[in-house]
Amino acid sequence: MEQQASTESRTSAPPAKLALFTLTTMVIGSMVGAGVFSLPSRFAEQTGVAGALIAWAIAGTGMLMLALVFQSLAVRRPDLDAGVYAYAKAGFGEYVGFFSAFGYWASSCVGNVTYWVLIMSTVGTIWSSLGEGDTALAVILSSVGLWAFFLMIRRGVKEAAAINRIVTVAKVVPIIIFVILALVFFDPSVFVENWGGADYAGSLFSQVKGTMLATVFVFLGVEGASVYSRHAKRREDVGRATVLGFLSVFAIFASVVIVSYGIMPMSEIAELRQPSMAGVLEDAVGTWGKVFISVGLIVSVLGAYLAWTLMAAEVLFVAAKDDDMPRFLRRSNPADVPVPALLMTTILTQVVLVITAFSDDAFNFALDLTSALSLIPYLLAAAFAAKIGLRPDPLTAGGRTSNRELTIACVAVLYTAFLLYAAGLKFVLVSLIFYAPATILFVMARREQGRRLFSPRERVILAVSVIGAVLGIVALATGWISL
């Protein structure tokens, strides 16, 4: 009996409780990372001021709808404690829920790679051996940092959350200072010249479409509070933290892009080395501006890496507790850290980090793949919100959602579907190369429970994912698509 109790303790430690402010900083901390520092050149590569304003209007509205969806679901379905994954499973079955959990987890791992690439690229401006974060030395140093974080996070969720709270404040300050300084040195004539976009930008529709994956990447993490809902002191704080975090970050991100168009010509911003925000401020105030942003970037990126690693491990842990992942992933230590899930997260991040060294553009490849992998989980969460709005559900608080909530959910579905279109076939196929082999984990879980591996409906989903993965591999092998 004593041995059984000890095993149970290792399997499920009591969850640490987090207040509204901490949950909000988890949302902000997970969104404010590598993406914001790359925004000036990412937008300038695709669009001018007019296209940027439209893109932010679309992205802001769409992501706000997603934020409101997570807020609504936190209240309507308080029994679902794993956010994105739990909503997909409740709405569309175990296998679809498994794919949602895996896709969200994989996107977190790939996103973590962008942080290390950007740190090494930043340091590479003074240490050329690191290149743009894609050299052998850069990969080795990034790997050391990756495993150092693994050892730190093992110490506990409360300790990691406290560090994240401090880092979130520290990393927002330099970004706000960037916006203020850019406004001081703002040149209206340069801004006007950038209005319609450079000659290479193409039509306004193509300009806006080209920025969509970048906006998805910077807003990843909007669901952070719902992922950590099991740790919240009060359930209503989950929805509040989601909306507060989103609105704060949206104002910062849009400002960073728009003020940059008043400092340099669009074509010059597009050619800046990442982090491009540093290059913009250097042009405005001199070398110290570049150094200032570079230091802020390192603090910001390390904080975002911490938040995303915690969220990724949490998703695997909860999926395992719901019997949708193998049982070994449900174990946690006395500090409430799911160590096996954290270890798998670190291993996949390490693998993708090595793969990016062979990419033509390591940072942008990892950024776009992160966005593409996250779209399916977001689409399924929005679709679940729409589903419970269309039909009564005995498990939904109040019986069914309001017409306002249904409208918000439908807009969120349309937005995420448009993002899949904007991502293009390349990243959809590469995403399926990740998704299809993951079914091995689903099979392991089913066998542990002595259940039939797949239902007829699940076999169809499996076939589609495998066919897509095979097409992706063939496309890579023949050069039709490239990394």
Side-chain angles (χ1 to χ4, degrees), residues 237-297:
D237 286 345
V238 174
R240 292 172 183 169
T242 299
V243 175
L244 285 173
F246 167 79
L247 293 176
S248 301
V249 169
F250 174 74
I252 294 172
F253 289 170
S255 298
V256 165
V257 171
I258 301 304
V259 298
S260 297
Y261 284 114
I263 302 297
M264 300 171 64
M266 171 182 164
S267 58
E268 293 182 17
I269 299 176
E271 294 298 323
L272 289 175
R273 176 193 179 105
Q274 296 292 10
S276 55
M277 187 194 291
V280 172
L281 194 58
E282 180 183 27
D283 187 82
V285 303
T287 304
W288 75 265
K290 178 179 181 180
V291 173
F292 175 73
I293 292 298
S294 296
V295 172
L297 175 142

Side-chain angles (χ1 to χ4, degrees), residues 40-41 44-45 47-49 187 189-195 197-198 200 260-272 280 283:
S41 66
E45 288 171 358
T47 187
V49 179
D187 186 339
S189 62
V190 174
F191 186 79
V192 171
E193 289 178 4
N194 287 329
W195 180 262
Y200 60 80
S260 297
Y261 284 114
I263 302 297
M264 300 171 64
M266 171 182 164
S267 58
E268 293 182 17
I269 299 176
E271 294 298 323
L272 289 175
V280 172
D283 187 82

Side-chain angles (χ1 to χ4, degrees), residues 58 61-70 72-73 92 378-391 400-419:
I58 294 172
T61 301
M63 279 296 177
L64 177 60
M65 295 303 103
L66 273 175
L68 292 174
V69 161
F70 288 118
S72 171
L73 290 175
F92 307 102
Y378 280 168
L379 177 62
L380 290 171
F384 174 62
K387 180 180 178 181
I388 63 175
L390 290 170
R391 64 178 67 174
R400 63 187 301 172
T401 58
S402 65
N403 290 334
R404 172 182 171 274
E405 290 170 307
L406 175 59
T407 301
I408 288 172
C410 290
V411 173
V413 169
L414 291 174
Y415 172 64
T416 48
F418 172 70
L419 290 177

